[in-house]
Amino acid sequence: MENLERLVQVFKEAPQLRSISDRLSEKGKPDLSITGASGSMDCFILAGLYALQPRSMMYVAMDKESAAYVQNTLQSLLGDLDVFFFPDSFKRPMQYDHFEAHQVLARTDAINKMNVEGINPKILVTYPEALFEKVVSPYA
């Protein structure tokens, strides 16, 4: 574990990461897309950014399996309390009539924890199919 913490510290101190952090600090809530990162590099970049300047972030992976891998890696780097998985609600992709109860509960839990103010910033890991689904507004 000490080696992972040291590696995150190295990323945190990298000038390239400071440049990315400065870009994220610009007014207007800029979106940022980083391409060309191989292996777990994207996880280390995100963990370094989070360590450098804690803020709530969302990571959108290509698919559910990739999102689960990223969430697991980020939890190893940052701890369980700061990283949440936002799955879709369905048992099988493209079959919208069979819900998976534990995934519905995980979606609700992730949204509730992201909305709690005064708590540490969080990272939400998801994928396009999960974002496709609508959620009920807490203010409705």
Side-chain angles (χ1 to χ4, degrees), residues 24 30-34 42 46 49-50 55-61 67 70 74 82-86 110-111 114 121-128 130-132:
L24 289 173
D31 294 333
L32 183 66
S33 177
I34 298 173
D42 51 353
L46 191 57
L49 284 171
Y50 185 81
R55 65 174 64 210
S56 292
M57 300 181 215
M58 182 186 329
Y59 182 97
V60 181
V70 166
L74 287 171
D82 297 330
V83 183
F84 297 98
F85 186 65
F86 188 70
I111 290 171
M114 290 296 288
K122 309 287 185 216
I123 298 175
L124 186 70
V125 181
T126 190
Y127 49 99
L131 292 175
F132 173 73

Side-chain angles (χ1 to χ4, degrees), residues 59-116:
Y59 182 97
V60 181
M62 296 297 288
D63 55 36
K64 186 175 187 174
E65 187 176 322
S66 299
Y69 177 79
V70 166
Q71 184 227 6
N72 187 36
T73 303
L74 287 171
Q75 282 181 329
S76 297
L77 297 173
L78 298 171
D80 292 341
L81 300 176
D82 297 330
V83 183
F84 297 98
F85 186 65
F86 188 70
D88 61 14
S89 299
F90 307 110
K91 286 189 178 190
R92 292 188 191 96
M94 307 307 286
Q95 290 187 351
Y96 303 120
D97 54 345
H98 298 355
F99 288 98
E100 188 69 49
H102 74 278
Q103 289 184 188
V104 172
L105 184 60
R107 286 174 62 84
T108 304
D109 186 47
I111 290 171
N112 287 338
K113 289 186 177 169
M114 290 296 288
N115 282 328
V116 173

